[in-house]
Amino acid sequence: MRALQVVKFGESPELRELEIPKVGRGQLRIRIEACGLNFADLLMTKGTYQETPEPPFTLGLEVAGTVDEIGPNANGFEIGDRVAVFGGNGGLAEFGCFPAPLCVKLPDDMDAKTAAAFQVAYGTSHLALTLRANLQPKETLVVLGAAGGVGLTAVEIGKALGAKVIAVARGADKCAVAKAAGADVALDSDTTELKAAIRAEGGADVIYDPVGGALGDAAMRALKRGGRFLVIGFASGDIQEVKLNHLLVKNIAVHGFYWGGYMMFDPAALQNSMQELFVMYQDGRLKPHIGYEAELADAAVALEKLRRRETTGKVVVTVDHNRE
């Protein structure tokens, strides 16, 4: 089978021919149809992500496909079941073996590409906004990087929860994408003095920040008293410093949020969140946006586009099992 592997940290990943893996105890082998890309994949190529295996390893955190083989003690599934899984790695390949408890069965009306674009992005936004930030109807939510993979989902979920959503994105085209996803207001971060613009809209109750750096710092200064700041990631490459006296004076709470970490200390929260999200999807309240699509042979190109932030929504790699 083909697999895109990190052979050495700091070097471009390689498309390699490997043996199809044998399923282990408690595992499902999945015939992979699609894999969603994340900024974590880029960090893993450099060895800087918090959960990076030693090379060589196959990239790809979240996958969707069909159960191909079932290992001993892997209960609750049948061969042919359509599933998705956040496996941490191993998704940019034609087959992969993953722990059965991490796999979720897909709704009948959700295809593999949508499923591969769904788990991390929607799961991150839903759990962060509900469990951590406790976002309430009529509160104001500011979403940074609002046209990106997780940002667009935060816009959608924020609107579904009844909040006023202010989207912040780079350029008119990306602002238009965020508005189409339901944002009430879209601010161009290239041309807007962000703190003043948010304050002109009444300030923010919740900031959702997957960008970091100067943009996150400016947004934080527009938080209302009692506001909540969600640390989602640092796509800008810069980690801002937070002045604790600012948090004290305005009674601001800062919540670090790593979706994958819940697998270790509260997997039930992930499962409950995903079931709620599937219902929202089936009700038509969520419309996943796939901004760029590539076949496995071109996965390295897709990663580069993600690194350059040239895409909107989610980047998805598909797997053609009928290749010659």
Side-chain angles (χ1 to χ4, degrees), residues 28 39 70 83 120 204 240 252 262 305-306:
L28 303 178
F39 273 98
I70 300 174
V83 298
V120 172
Q240 68 268 40
I252 288 171
Y262 275 77
K305 284 188 172 291
L306 181 66

Side-chain angles (χ1 to χ4, degrees), residues 7-300:
V7 179
K8 184 177 180 181
F9 290 135
E11 296 185 357
S12 297
E14 300 178 12
L15 192 65
R16 309 176 80 190
E17 290 284 342
L18 306 175
E19 293 293 324
I20 295 175
K22 295 181 179 179
V23 68
R25 181 173 294 275
Q27 290 185 329
L28 303 178
R29 188 170 72 190
I30 297 175
R31 184 179 187 268
I32 296 171
E33 298 171 23
C35 177
L37 299 189
N38 297 274
F39 273 98
D41 292 301
L42 298 173
L43 297 177
M44 289 176 110
T45 65
K46 299 184 289 185
T48 57
Y49 189 59
Q50 58 261 33
E51 295 178 5
T52 303
E54 288 298 316
F57 65 90
T58 300
L59 288 167
L61 280 75
E62 54 180 333
V63 304
T66 304
V67 175
D68 175 71
E69 189 172 340
I70 300 174
N73 290 356
N75 302 317
F77 295 89
E78 297 180 359
I79 291 175
D81 280 347
R82 299 173 58 253
V83 298
V85 58
F86 176 81
N89 59 78
L92 285 172
E94 294 181 316
F95 292 87
C97 295
F98 304 95
L102 301 184
C103 298
V104 293
K105 295 181 182 179
L106 298 179
D108 292 339
D109 59 349
M110 181 180 283
D111 61 34
K113 287 189 291 187
T114 300
F118 197 86
Q119 287 187 99
V120 172
Y122 280 102
T124 294
S125 293
H126 183 262
L127 210 55
L129 291 174
T130 57
L131 185 63
R132 301 294 282 171
N134 192 29
L135 180 67
Q136 297 297 306
K138 299 184 180 180
E139 287 191 317
T140 297
L141 166 67
V142 173
V143 180
L144 307 184
V150 293
L152 269 181
T153 65
V155 171
E156 281 190 277
I157 291 171
K159 284 302 295 180
L161 295 173
K164 173 184 175 180
V165 178
I166 300 174
V168 181
R170 295 181 65 185
D173 290 345
K174 290 186 176 182
C175 284
V177 169
K179 286 279 284 185
D184 298 284
V185 177
L187 303 176
D188 185 343
S189 60
D190 283 341
T191 60
T192 303
E193 203 288 295
L194 193 58
K195 180 179 72 172
I198 295 172
R199 284 183 171 177
E201 292 291 336
D205 295 291
V206 176
I207 303 286
Y208 181 98
D209 181 15
V211 178
L215 205 64
D217 184 62
M220 178 175 280
R221 294 176 184 276
L223 272 171
K224 298 178 184 178
R225 295 185 182 278
R228 290 89 77 200
F229 189 96
L230 289 165
V231 182
I232 305 298
F234 308 99
S236 68
D238 295 323
I239 301 174
Q240 68 268 40
E241 294 184 1
V242 177
K243 294 185 180 300
L244 296 183
N245 63 321
H246 180 66
L247 307 185
L248 183 151
V249 170
K250 295 183 69 176
N251 286 290
I252 288 171
V254 176
H255 298 284
F257 186 84
Y258 168 45
W259 185 79
Y262 275 77
M263 290 183 177
M264 294 175 278
F265 69 88
D266 194 358
L270 288 181
Q271 293 164 356
N272 294 337
S273 171
M274 195 55 56
Q275 292 307 313
E276 289 182 37
L277 286 166
F278 283 157
V279 171
M280 294 170 74
Y281 172 80
Q282 291 176 302
D283 288 346
R285 288 181 285 164
L286 304 178
K287 301 182 185 300
H289 176 86
I290 297 174
Y292 186 80
E293 191 178 314
E295 211 279 326
L296 182 58
D298 297 315

